[in-house]
Amino acid sequence: MKQTLFIVGARGAGKTTIGKLLSEALSYKFIDTDESIQTMSKMTIADLVEQYGWEHFRKLESQTLKAVNQSEHVISTGGGMVLSLENRQYMQHNGIVIYLQASAEVLSKRLSLNPENTQRPSLTGKSIIEEMEGILIEREPLYRECADFIVNANLATEDIVFHVKSFILNHKKD
């Protein structure tokens, strides 16, 4: 059954990496909503947020989610995509939602190795570990609420792809 896969999780969870590998494994196309927003706006996310604010960015994010949704696509979403009830419901009704779950320690370690500040502006100005702990407290229930499948993002990438692909091939969404 060909369908859309939405990958959710905090920044640093590996959504883009896993999404690209999954799209190859399933012969789907890959789309990253953050990359789409940056291409469309010709601005980095940090510049967008600085110039127009988070509320404007979240609206762009919701518009982009709907614009890129197509069958046989793996869509890597921004970490805050789940903050909107409308986005959570949209993903649930239009595909399979995969949650890449990782601890604040793992996320902060990954982000420290590859900060990409222009792509991933700080939400709070706190240290990475404090920020990730706070984000997970807020978003963990939202990620879980919309997820059809939760996978441990600490696993090796090939294991994550194997588990998700197995789930997809054995799962028929109503």
Side-chain angles (χ1 to χ4, degrees), residues 87-121:
N87 291 346
R88 293 192 307 274
Q89 290 174 339
Y90 182 85
M91 290 185 290
Q92 288 175 301
H93 294 300
N94 290 283
I96 295 178
V97 182
I98 307 299
Y99 170 31
L100 293 183
Q101 184 181 45
S103 68
E105 292 78 22
V106 167
L107 296 170
S108 59
K109 185 176 178 182
R110 289 179 183 171
L111 291 170
S112 295
L113 294 172
N114 186 16
E116 292 185 53
N117 292 329
T118 59
Q119 312 284 73
R120 302 170 172 154

Side-chain angles (χ1 to χ4, degrees), residues 111-141:
L111 291 170
S112 295
L113 294 172
N114 186 16
E116 292 185 53
N117 292 329
T118 59
Q119 312 284 73
R120 302 170 172 154
S122 172
L123 298 172
T124 61
K126 296 179 180 177
S127 71
I128 293 175
I129 185 73
E130 289 175 316
E131 183 168 306
M132 295 319 297
E133 286 170 346
I135 285 170
L136 288 178
I137 287 169
E138 176 188 19
R139 296 181 186 171
E140 177 78 16

Side-chain angles (χ1 to χ4, degrees), residues 29 44 51 61 67 155 158 165:
K29 291 190 171 127
T44 65
Q51 194 163 340
E61 203 172 43
L155 297 173
E158 58 272 10
K165 185 177 177 184

Side-chain angles (χ1 to χ4, degrees), residues 17-28:
T17 302
I18 297 300
K20 286 178 180 175
L21 293 169
L22 261 175
S23 66
E24 289 172 20
L26 295 167
S27 299
Y28 281 18

